[in-house]
């Protein structure tokens, strides 16, 4: 769609149809239809993320064919007119945090984060393990988002539709609670919107380091369709793989999956490089082309080298033997296009958590080995271009 302003009118052009409204609202045609939250989120010039779309819907700021719809799962018929009414995001101050004592309690729960890069538009931090990226209905008072607002000057604007959560504060991607490493957030609403678009368009580079059980092969390319395991809440599973038949690639379902599983599966691609190994475990450098929930953890399991300590996809006996109680997975490097300066900001976090660093040292693995591997890899990539 294209958003243009003409005097007191705004025209939103989508799929060659134009709807004009006053400047107080924006309307567009949902040509293909679909879930209301997905349709609203497609209006990228007005809505920064799927979470913001959900918040707008919940607050009653969305009309479909003139009727207010407050369920995000509402099925929008093809060709329906969707109108976005004026909407003010919730703020930290508006969510009963005016009380000084309450704010101080939150400060105590959410200490400052290690800052890896910061300017007036974005901030990149080193997330410790055991911390949520943003609040959830089960844990409302402690997260990366809280620390960004309370200590690092990030705007109070919310990005979460969950009425039990305070805010997302410009966070545009997530790490699992027990995964550590680099995260980026927008310090302004516009910066966060631009970053969200970069992640949606896969215009970012993400690399992780993991300690895995067993001796990993030099290189594993994992290209599978994955989706939620409906038999085990909180798990993901491989639904199918791409198979070449002649010149045509088709998706084949794995055993035990259903048509419903296949319908909601998403393609996921990772490249797993062995940096070092011994008879017990391997230091693996993971490069992602996609960013699915639990992607690296599931892909490592699928490749036969589950992440050490992983309570879901790991090997219980191995986890017990090394006495590790979380997945030893660290977001090592993140490169993003700066939302204002149009240049790449490339940040690395060599400061791995103590539990992971201790096991690396015992195994003879070092952070310097990872950096040396990157130099060789980047040099080879440059030579091949």
């Amino acid at each position: 769609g294209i958003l243009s302003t003409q005097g007191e009118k705004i025209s939103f052009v989508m799929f060659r149809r134009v709807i004009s409204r006053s400047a107080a609202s924006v309307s567009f045609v949902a040509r293909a239809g679909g879930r209301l939250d997905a349709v609203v989120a497609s209006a990228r010039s007005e809505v920064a993320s799927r979470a913001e779309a959900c918040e707008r819907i919940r607050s009653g700021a969305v009309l479909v064919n003139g009727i207010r719809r407050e369920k995000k799962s509402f099925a929008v018929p093809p060709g329906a007119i969707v109108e976005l009414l004026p909407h003010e995001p919730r703020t930290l101050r508006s969510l009963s945090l005016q009380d000084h004592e309450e704010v101080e309690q939150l400060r105590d729960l959410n200490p400052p984060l290690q800052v890896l890069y910061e300017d007036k538009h974005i901030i990149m931090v080193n997330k410790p393990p055991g911390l949520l990226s943003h609040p959830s209905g089960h844990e409302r008072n402690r997260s990366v988002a809280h620390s960004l607002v309370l200590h690092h000057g990030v705007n109070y604007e919310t990005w979460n539709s969950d009425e039990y959560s305070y805010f997302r504060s410009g966070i545009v991607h997530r790490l699992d609670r027990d995964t550590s490493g680099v995260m980026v957030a927008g310090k302004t609403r516009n910066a966060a919107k631009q970053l969200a678009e970069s992640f949606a368009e896969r215009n970012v580079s993400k690399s992780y380091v993991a300690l895995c059980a067993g001796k990993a092969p030099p290189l594993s390319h994992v290209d599978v369709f994955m989706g939620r395991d409906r038999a085990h809440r909180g798990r993901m599973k491989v639904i199918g793989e791409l198979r070449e038949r002649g010149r045509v690639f088709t998706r084949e379902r794995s055993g035990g999956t259903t048509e419903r599983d296949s319908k909601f599966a998403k393609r996921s691609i990772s490249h797993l490089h062995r940096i070092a190994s011994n008879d017990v475990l391997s230091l693996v450098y993971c490069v992602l082309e996609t960013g699915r929930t639990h992607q690296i953890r599931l892909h490592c399991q699928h490749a036969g080298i589950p992440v050490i300590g992983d309570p879901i996809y790991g090997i219980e006996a191995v986890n017990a033997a090394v006495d590790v109680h979380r997945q030893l997975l660290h977001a090592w490097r993140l490169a993003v296009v700066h939302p204002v300066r149009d240049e790449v900001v490339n940040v690395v976090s060599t400061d791995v958590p103590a539990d992971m660093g201790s096991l690396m040292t015992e195994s003879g693995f070092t952070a310097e080995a990872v950096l040396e591997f990157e130099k060789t890899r980047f040099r080879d990539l440059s030579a091949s271009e």
Side-chain angles (χ1 to χ4, degrees), residues 14-216:
M14 179 172 282
F15 307 116
R16 299 180 182 175
R17 292 192 61 182
V18 182
I19 305 294
S20 293
R21 296 283 187 184
S22 69
S25 65
V26 174
S27 300
F28 61 92
V29 177
R31 182 179 179 184
R35 278 179 60 108
L36 182 56
D37 53 353
V39 170
V40 173
S42 70
R44 280 291 180 185
S45 60
E46 287 293 306
V47 181
S49 65
R50 184 78 163 257
E52 185 183 344
C54 291
E55 185 195 332
R56 283 175 175 265
I57 294 166
R58 186 186 58 81
S59 65
V62 178
L63 307 181
V64 179
N65 289 333
I67 300 174
R68 194 181 308 275
R69 301 292 184 183
E70 298 181 5
K71 291 186 64 175
K72 63 183 181 181
S73 60
F74 174 76
V76 179
I81 298 174
V82 179
E83 184 173 358
L84 307 181
L85 301 178
H87 170 72
E88 288 296 327
R90 292 175 295 170
T91 67
L92 181 69
R93 186 169 299 279
S94 70
L95 286 164
S96 61
L97 295 183
Q98 299 181 46
D99 184 84
H100 178 74
E101 182 178 349
E102 186 176 358
V103 172
E104 288 306 309
Q105 289 174 353
L106 286 175
R107 287 184 189 276
D108 292 339
L109 286 172
N110 298 274
L113 301 167
Q114 179 187 8
V115 177
L116 303 174
Y117 173 86
E118 183 177 14
D119 60 30
K120 65 181 181 180
H121 304 288
I122 68 173
I123 183 171
M124 302 178 80
V125 298
N126 191 21
K127 173 192 170 301
L131 187 65
L132 289 174
S133 296
H134 55 71
S136 71
H138 301 290
E139 189 166 334
R140 297 183 291 171
N141 297 324
R142 184 171 179 268
S143 70
V144 172
H146 282 81
S147 291
L148 291 176
V149 167
L150 295 167
H151 298 286
H152 299 288
V154 174
N155 275 9
Y156 293 165
E157 295 164 332
T158 181
W159 300 83
N160 199 344
S161 63
D162 189 339
E163 63 181 328
Y164 297 107
S165 300
Y166 288 134
F167 39 71
R168 279 197 178 175
S169 310
I171 288 179
V172 295
H173 70 122
R174 293 177 290 181
L175 295 178
D176 293 338
R177 179 200 292 268
D178 288 327
T179 298
S180 57
V182 187
M183 287 190 66
V184 64
K187 295 181 71 174
T188 67
R189 189 173 182 82
N190 180 64
K193 287 174 69 174
Q194 296 298 321
L195 287 172
E197 290 178 2
S198 291
F199 275 87
E201 296 167 1
R202 302 181 188 172
N203 192 26
V204 298
S205 176
K206 297 175 286 185
S207 302
Y208 293 69
V209 170
L211 282 175
C212 297
K215 187 168 185 177

Side-chain angles (χ1 to χ4, degrees), residues 250-262:
T250 60
R251 179 170 66 180
E252 287 192 353
R253 285 185 288 144
S254 300
T257 64
T258 65
E259 289 292 345
R260 177 181 173 84
D261 290 330
S262 186

Side-chain angles (χ1 to χ4, degrees), residues 264-327:
F264 291 102
K266 294 182 178 180
R267 189 178 181 186
S268 56
I269 305 172
S270 299
H271 309 287
L272 312 177
H273 302 260
R274 184 185 72 204
I275 296 175
S277 66
N278 54 35
D279 293 336
V280 180
L281 50 83
S282 300
L283 181 63
V284 178
Y285 187 86
C286 313
V287 181
L288 277 65
E289 288 192 30
T290 54
R292 311 300 182 197
T293 300
H294 294 183
Q295 177 172 319
I296 294 177
R297 298 163 63 187
L298 180 64
H299 282 193
C300 285
Q301 181 200 49
H302 186 71
I305 48 169
V307 177
I308 296 289
D310 194 323
I312 299 177
Y313 308 100
I315 302 173
E316 186 174 348
V318 174
N319 296 345
V322 297
D323 193 27
V324 172
H325 306 287
R326 70 167 187 95
Q327 66 269 9

